[in-house]
Amino acid sequence: MSGQPFMKIQNSAIQELDSVVVRFAGDSGDGMQLTGSQFSVVTALEGSDLSTFPDFPAEIRAPVGTTFGVSAFQINFGSVEISTAGDEPDVLVIMNPAALKVNIGNLRKGGLIILDEGSFNIKNLKKAGYEINPLDDDSLSQYDVKRIDITKMTVEAVKEFGLGNKDALRCKNMWTLGLLLWMFGRKRQTIIESLEQKFASKPELAEANIAALNAGHAFGETAEMSYALHRYHVNRYKEEAGTYRTVNGNQSLSWGILAGSQLAGLKLVLGSYPITPASPLLHTLSGLKEFGVVTFQAEDEIAAICAAIGASFAGGLGMTTSSGPGIALKTEALGLAISTELPLIVVDIQRAGPSTGLPTKTEQSDLYQAVWGRNGDAPLVVLSVSNSTDGFDVGIEAVRIATKYMTPVMILSDGYIANASEPWRIPDINDYEPFPVKFHKDPEGFHPFLRNTETLARVWAKPGTEGLMHRIGGIEKDYNSGHISYDAVNHQKMTDVRKAKIDNIANDFPLQKVSLGTEGGKLAVVGWGSTSGAIHQAVKRARNDGMDVSHIHLRHIWPLPRNLEELLKSYDKVIVAEMNAGQLNTLLRSQYLLDTTLLSKVTGQPFKIQEITDAIIENLGGIK
Amino acid sequence: MNKPVEITKLSPKDFETDQEVRWCPGCGDYAILKGVQMALANTGARPENTVFVSGIGCSSRFPYYISTYGFHTIHGRAPGFATGIKLTNPDLDVWLVTGDGDGLSIGGNHMLHVLRRNVDLQIMLFNNEIYGLTKGQYSPTSRPGLKTPSSPYGSVDAPLSPCVFALGAGARFVARGIDTSLKELPITLARAKEHKGASFVEIYQNCIVYNDNVFGEFTEKKTAQDTQIHLKDGERMIFGKDIKKGLRFNQDKFALEVVILGENGITEDDILIHDEKNRHMAFMLCEIEAPEYPAVCGVIYCNPSESYDHSVTAQIEKVKETKKADFNALLRSGRTWIVD
Ligand code: SF4
């Protein structure tokens, strides 16, 4: 949250807020993700800047009422620039005792709790592990608690539709959403429309949900006095003119890669195997057949990448998507793509590890795997996605590099931005320069490892072309003929050229910019990937407070930008902030012999702004 | 530029490469290579439209020796690569070369799925019942008791029948050949090429170095007519030097048996007629083994259904007919708002 603290106010006038963090928390079955995303849509449509954080358990249906079955959705929105989902909620919406137990620790002191009193029965309290009802002692005394029997009022509101008890209770989330919409003065119409759409085949469910939504809204109006409820107003955010939508990281990345394939003039062929949190890319692209996209749900991760490599061999753009454990399985095949120098897009939506780890929680711990994790000297290009909208441009750049240099490109995103939404000023595809692939056609002097002297890329000759029949594989190739070769000197030469080709791509990358602040100074905070919002806000605030600190955020992980060493060495001190045990930190130290300081967080949760602020202050020795 | 290309008929020699063949002298792979080159020439295959994909192992060196497009990939995974190639360009004629270790051990999973999906490929599995390239360990088709460096006291692994596996996986075309049967093998391979869908061909291949003569009991030229049966669709399953032996269905045992025409009142009418579309018969034919039975060769099962690559392509084309590919419209789908 970047505005003033959310205040407990005493009068009923509408209070103006710069920004506010709301967290919806309930049981997995309470529909919190739907509630949160609907609230986000309305918030976006009314012009606030926003950032969301869906936080849900790995179990599809964990036992009802338990703490490990709690699902939450956090949204930070405001009339000011928002770049994280917020450190601490100002408003906590609680649908059962377990949700309170899991989420209360993070609520801002003095924050507002709206809770369903009806769910605080002995059974649910016991399941949540409460011995004493927290509503009966003073454990919540430092918060502004609104106890509302949402259960009862929802059942009442939908009575006329004759739903069973279970279906009736499922409307609780819409009742709650109605109340929140009233609180923030948001319109209901878009939600009503989407409920009508969602339940088109079951109109009684649509009507019941809409009735619950309206009842929650009406409750705000009528109970304003008796419950001391207040209304708030968050102004529009002054954004650049244009058409906007919300987008999450997986969406923007899917579209970016598809855009890249269109700009390259290639058929996109995705080989994939379902895995959290990468599956939405497979889902999105499977629905885009009108663009000629081929999607292949393979029998496993290995077959998925192999099909993608086969596609590139055949003259398409092969692509595979996964998360850490799946990428590990793809490793051997990735080596073949490097050895045969075929373009390939590999997407790794990182999650907390090692092994199965925490599948639905976020982390940035696959950087070593991406840059170094293969047998043999096997360099490739690694790009990273910094926020929910960034995937579009990263996707296009990945395709451009992969096809221009005939190399696999790995894109690192993570579970946080994969699911988090932000408003996005929709680009016009016609503003992007096409980079059509030129397949090799000329049989004169042809062999498959003929290289472009500038880019060092080999020629791409696809099957079906007369006179260019050739055989390639994982055995070392002769530099001059492309035939298999066991020659020692040749292996040195081929290893060198594969490395030189990737190193040289740094010259194609833009120079590393300072995201916020100055070139040179006392302190730089370096980050990559989804930490960008938190670092940005922390640095912005510190600079407003007069501290000499700058933010450098990397998109290009390998090769590193060619001016990065010089840039980093222009600061007295460099902090590397990342959600792992220090992987970029190791990389920068090994490349530049630079004495960096690590700020590591590995809890499965994104950085809080405050955590970075604290590190900035500490590293400036308290000196501003 | 656009002169009509004269399609000259190619000879087997036209499918040879300039690469020195690196199999052991006397290896069965040489004969198979010849058989494939003959099949390609006989069927009018175009080198530029043909791709050979392989995994790892002795058999998987195959693509280097055929002057078409070729991709020598990684151990066991050739089906994935071949599927990707076929999905990208369904017009290519794609052959997959694998072995008993590559295709049924490390790549068993992929073999199962490429067959059940029915990707339009010719899959040649060279079965020599041994790991050659890693110097002679037992494979998933090795017979129990086989002594190898990794089974010095004899293998205790239960072996697998490749053709039974293929049928079980849902293959729509299953055939078998013998490396040295250069009369029959090219015909069987031509049938495989003609079949739209996954065509599985097991080829008994002699590894002269690590498992020599393992198929000797039925490959011996002199006795071959009595120890092999070459199936023909719609014809009775009669074989033998004197054309006197046949396969009959014994109802009491619910199994096939070898009978002799003229003995015990056996007439031609007792002998089964081969029906390539009969999957139950195919299972029985795949399961019988020498020496009690003849080695069953030729097309055992051929019952085409739509291939996977065809279905995928057709679905895309169908969507294209109804939906316009408008990228800007895609980005603007769903809820948008305007800031001015
Ligand atoms: S090891 Fe056996 S299978 Fe391999 S090339 Fe030699 S003879 Fe052939």
Side-chain angles (χ1 to χ4, degrees):
Chain A
M1 167 164 170
S2 47
Q4 80 284 29
F6 191 83
M7 306 259 272
K8 194 168 172 178
I9 47 169
Q10 301 306 326
N11 60 51
S12 68
I14 296 176
Q15 160 119 355
E16 194 69 34
L17 296 173
D18 281 349
S19 72
V20 60
V21 179
V22 179
R23 188 171 175 93
F24 298 89
D27 191 69
S28 292
D30 283 336
M32 291 296 95
Q33 299 306 321
L34 178 73
T35 312
S37 53
Q38 291 286 4
F39 187 78
S40 310
V41 168
V42 178
T43 304
L45 289 177
E46 300 201 14
S48 298
D49 196 13
L50 67 91
S51 182
T52 69
F53 177 37
D55 190 9
F56 46 84
E59 290 75 18
I60 301 302
R61 284 270 182 273
V64 178
T66 56
T67 51
F68 52 91
V70 171
S71 174
F73 187 102
Q74 188 164 315
I75 172 169
N76 183 8
F77 60 103
S79 60
V80 294
E81 182 196 40
I82 300 292
S83 45
T84 75
D87 281 9
E88 298 172 312
D90 303 300
V91 180
L92 191 54
V93 178
I94 291 296
M95 302 307 285
N96 72 359
L100 181 70
K101 183 146 211 194
V102 172
N103 288 286
I104 188 66
N106 211 12
L107 181 64
R108 179 180 297 279
K109 297 273 170 293
L112 175 65
I113 302 176
I114 293 170
L115 62 79
D116 176 18
E117 194 177 14
S119 71
F120 279 66
N121 54 36
I122 295 174
K123 197 171 109 204
N124 282 341
L125 287 163
K126 210 173 141 206
K127 277 196 202 156
Y130 278 119
E131 277 170 18
I132 302 164
N133 188 341
L135 304 182
D136 293 344
D137 58 20
D138 62 353
S139 61
L140 301 176
S141 59
Q142 38 189 336
Y143 308 105
D144 180 12
V145 186
K146 306 293 178 198
R147 304 161 57 152
I148 304 170
D149 195 340
I150 298 175
T151 301
K152 189 171 139 209
M153 284 193 253
T154 305
V155 171
E156 193 65 28
V158 303
K159 206 166 63 189
E160 58 174 299
F161 303 101
L163 305 181
N165 192 43
K166 217 168 149 195
D167 279 338
L169 288 177
R170 283 238 171 97
C171 301
K172 262 169 49 174
N173 61 339
M174 285 301 125
W175 193 98
T176 313
L177 182 57
L179 176 60
L180 268 281
L181 294 177
W182 170 81
M183 276 179 69
F184 290 98
R186 304 299 196 192
K187 296 190 191 84
R188 278 162 286 166
Q189 194 49 37
T190 40
I191 291 168
I192 290 171
E193 282 165 21
S194 77
L195 286 170
E196 280 166 348
Q197 228 173 41
K198 186 175 173 212
F199 296 114
S201 60
K202 289 182 184 153
E204 73 282 3
L205 283 185
E207 284 175 46
N209 274 288
I210 293 165
L213 182 81
N214 289 336
H217 195 271
F219 176 83
E221 300 271 354
T222 51
E224 193 171 348
M225 299 307 270
S226 50
Y227 281 79
L229 293 172
H230 300 288
R231 304 179 69 180
Y232 307 92
H233 180 251
V234 176
N235 225 326
R236 301 179 86 85
Y237 173 58
K238 278 260 152 290
E239 284 185 285
E240 218 184 314
T243 306
Y244 283 77
R245 64 170 302 137
T246 57
V247 74
N248 68 38
N250 278 345
Q251 252 174 338
S252 68
L253 192 52
S254 305
W255 290 340
I257 295 167
L258 175 59
S261 73
Q262 303 257 309
L263 295 167
L266 296 176
K267 184 196 259 192
L268 183 62
V269 182
L270 168 67
S272 187
Y273 185 77
I275 187 170
T276 302
S279 302
L281 288 122
L282 171 61
H283 305 166
T284 299
L285 290 168
S286 297
L288 296 176
K289 300 204 189 314
E290 65 270 31
F291 294 93
V293 179
V294 177
T295 52
F296 170 55
Q297 182 179 313
E299 59 271 28
D300 63 17
E301 296 280 1
I302 300 173
I305 187 174
C306 292
I309 298 169
S312 291
F313 175 76
L317 178 67
M319 163 185 180
T320 190
T321 51
S322 191
S323 186
I327 300 292
L329 285 166
K330 296 177 194 297
T331 300
E332 185 198 8
L334 197 47
L336 178 70
I338 292 167
S339 173
T340 51
E341 301 187 46
L342 283 166
L344 180 72
I345 306 296
V346 182
V347 176
D348 178 357
I349 311 294
Q350 302 162 95
R351 63 191 217 186
S355 186
T356 305
L358 306 171
T360 60
K361 304 298 173 194
T362 195
E363 210 163 276
Q364 298 180 300
S365 44
D366 294 349
L367 185 141
Y368 286 163
Q369 181 174 230
V371 178
W372 288 320
R374 285 165 296 281
N375 65 305
D377 287 301
L380 49 63
V381 176
V382 183
L383 305 181
S384 67
V385 180
S386 295
N387 57 52
S388 302
T389 66
D390 192 34
F392 192 73
D393 285 343
V394 172
I396 291 174
E397 185 173 8
V399 178
R400 187 181 66 81
I401 297 291
T403 51
K404 181 173 174 187
Y405 293 92
M406 296 291 282
T407 176
V409 175
M410 194 179 302
I411 300 173
L412 295 177
S413 175
D414 67 46
Y416 173 34
I417 41 185
N419 294 311
S421 301
E422 282 179 50
W424 184 38
R425 188 170 161 270
I426 309 171
D428 186 334
I429 188 70
N430 300 312
D431 293 342
Y432 289 84
E433 189 70 40
F435 41 87
V437 163
K438 287 184 202 74
F439 288 101
H440 195 75
K441 294 269 165 58
D442 184 8
E444 186 63 37
F446 168 78
H447 74 79
F449 285 82
L450 275 179
R451 285 178 198 281
N452 178 312
T453 47
E454 232 169 81
T455 61
L456 298 178
R458 77 171 182 92
V459 291
W460 195 1
K462 62 174 173 180
T465 316
E466 231 177 300
L468 300 186
M469 285 78 73
H470 63 272
R471 277 69 52 193
I472 58 173
I475 299 179
E476 187 60 283
K477 273 81 38 187
D478 181 69
Y479 184 88
N480 296 310
S481 68
H483 290 321
I484 59 177
S485 163
Y486 295 96
D487 184 79
V489 176
N490 177 70
H491 179 54
Q492 176 82 51
K493 187 167 183 184
M494 287 298 281
T495 303
D496 292 347
V497 77
R498 284 189 288 261
K499 178 178 187 303
K501 179 175 88 170
I502 301 301
D503 288 348
N504 175 49
I505 294 173
N507 293 314
D508 200 317
F509 291 158
L511 291 175
Q512 179 63 45
K513 287 200 184 74
V514 178
S515 316
L516 183 64
T518 56
E519 259 177 54
K522 286 206 179 95
L523 180 66
V525 183
V526 180
W528 64 284
S530 70
T531 55
S532 73
I535 301 176
H536 176 79
Q537 289 296 340
V539 169
K540 190 165 141 188
R541 290 178 196 179
R543 291 184 64 81
N544 285 345
D545 289 346
M547 290 181 234
D548 179 5
V549 56
S550 300
H551 175 202
I552 293 168
H553 211 75
L554 304 186
R555 170 187 285 183
H556 306 96
I557 305 294
W558 199 262
L560 289 163
R562 59 191 187 281
N563 65 327
L564 185 63
E565 178 170 13
E566 200 188 332
L567 180 61
L568 294 182
K569 286 183 174 166
S570 70
Y571 300 94
D572 299 344
K573 240 180 163 180
V574 173
I575 299 176
V576 181
E578 51 186 336
M579 296 186 293
N580 59 49
Q583 302 194 7
L584 178 68
N585 192 48
T586 305
L587 188 79
L588 294 178
R589 284 173 157 256
S590 74
Q591 293 301 299
Y592 302 144
L593 293 177
L594 193 68
D595 190 13
T596 52
T597 303
L598 172 67
L599 174 61
S600 153
K601 178 174 186 180
V602 200
T603 62
Q605 300 290 327
F607 270 114
K608 287 182 179 176
I609 298 164
Q610 193 58 46
E611 290 164 343
I612 294 167
T613 305
D614 291 347
I616 291 172
I617 294 170
E618 193 192 317
N619 279 277
L620 286 173
I623 317 155
K624 291 188 176 182
Chain B
M1 280 298 281
N2 285 327
K3 264 190 282 170
V5 201
E6 204 156 295
I7 308 280
T8 44
K9 196 164 162 14
L10 300 172
S11 76
K13 267 206 153 327
D14 292 319
F15 289 94
E16 290 174 7
T17 63
D18 57 355
Q19 295 298 290
E20 191 191 328
V21 183
R22 298 187 191 210
W23 289 309
C24 308
C27 173
D29 289 350
Y30 284 93
I32 302 174
L33 177 61
K34 209 171 224 130
V36 171
Q37 286 164 342
M38 283 161 72
L40 289 172
N42 293 346
T43 54
R46 300 306 304 171
E48 65 273 15
N49 287 330
T50 308
V51 184
F52 278 80
V53 185
S54 65
I56 293 290
C58 291
S59 58
S60 290
R61 293 298 178 90
F62 202 91
Y64 290 115
Y65 311 133
I66 292 261
S67 66
T68 62
Y69 284 90
F71 202 177
H72 178 214
T73 69
I74 50 176
H75 206 10
R77 320 299 176 192
F81 294 93
T83 303
I85 292 169
K86 204 64 195 174
L87 290 177
T88 307
N89 185 355
D91 294 337
L92 295 172
D93 188 32
V94 183
W95 296 70
L96 195 152
V97 191
T98 183
D100 40 314
D102 187 66
L104 293 173
S105 194
I106 191 167
N109 182 33
H110 308 304
M111 187 59 76
L112 162 69
H113 293 283
V114 78
L115 291 172
R116 93 172 153 79
R117 281 192 192 104
N118 199 30
V119 183
D120 184 18
L121 308 167
Q122 292 76 256
I123 301 170
M124 298 187 289
L125 186 141
F126 299 4
N127 183 10
N128 56 13
E129 300 189 359
I130 202 81
Y131 283 105
L133 200 60
T134 51
K135 299 197 191 309
Q137 300 83 355
Y138 63 94
S139 89
T141 56
S142 294
R143 294 169 200 190
L146 187 72
K147 288 190 173 146
T148 73
S150 58
S151 56
Y153 295 101
S155 165
V156 292
D157 253 35
L160 172 78
S161 158
C163 286
V164 173
F165 174 88
L167 274 178
R172 313 294 303 204
F173 182 102
V174 176
R176 200 187 270 143
I178 297 171
D179 51 6
T180 48
S181 299
L182 280 182
K183 210 168 106 236
E184 287 86 12
L185 185 61
I187 297 170
T188 304
L189 293 176
R191 284 286 312 276
K193 180 171 182 293
E194 184 191 313
H195 172 251
K196 294 272 166 264
S199 314
F200 182 86
V201 186
E202 177 190 11
I203 304 173
Y204 290 130
Q205 175 246 324
N206 190 43
C207 170
I208 196 168
V209 177
Y210 295 112
N211 210 10
D212 192 21
N213 219 21
V214 68
F215 305 115
E217 54 202 3
F218 56 82
T219 54
E220 194 55 53
K221 277 265 181 304
K222 271 185 262 163
T223 53
Q225 283 173 304
D226 280 313
T227 54
Q228 300 173 6
I229 179 167
H230 293 269
L231 301 172
K232 289 205 176 67
D233 193 31
E235 291 186 15
R236 292 198 191 274
M237 297 183 205
I238 298 176
F239 65 105
K241 198 158 85 212
D242 311 321
I243 325 182
K244 278 261 153 67
K245 294 184 181 175
L247 288 177
R248 181 173 80 159
F249 181 67
N250 182 321
Q251 287 193 3
D252 297 336
K253 293 183 185 158
F254 211 84
L256 298 181
E257 62 183 0
V258 177
V259 291
I260 312 281
L261 285 172
E263 275 181 20
N264 304 322
I266 303 275
T267 68
E268 267 203 35
D269 289 345
D270 293 312
I271 309 299
L272 281 170
I273 295 172
H274 183 40
D275 175 5
E276 286 180 353
K277 288 195 160 55
N278 186 333
R279 192 157 178 257
H280 300 290
M281 187 187 277
F283 267 110
M284 284 194 278
L285 288 167
C286 287
E287 265 164 354
I288 57 176
E289 280 175 12
E292 194 189 335
Y293 294 96
V296 177
C297 296
V299 179
I300 299 169
Y301 183 63
C302 176
N303 188 13
S305 74
E306 195 178 11
S307 74
Y308 178 69
D309 40 299
H310 188 269
S311 307
V312 168
T313 311
Q315 195 178 51
I316 290 173
E317 290 312 316
K318 206 164 158 212
V319 172
K320 277 183 172 171
E321 277 169 24
T322 54
K323 270 192 184 168
K324 217 176 120 230
D326 180 340
F327 203 88
N328 274 339
L330 167 69
L331 298 184
R332 283 155 186 79
S333 57
R335 298 197 183 282
T336 61
W337 67 96
I338 290 168
V339 173
D340 29 41

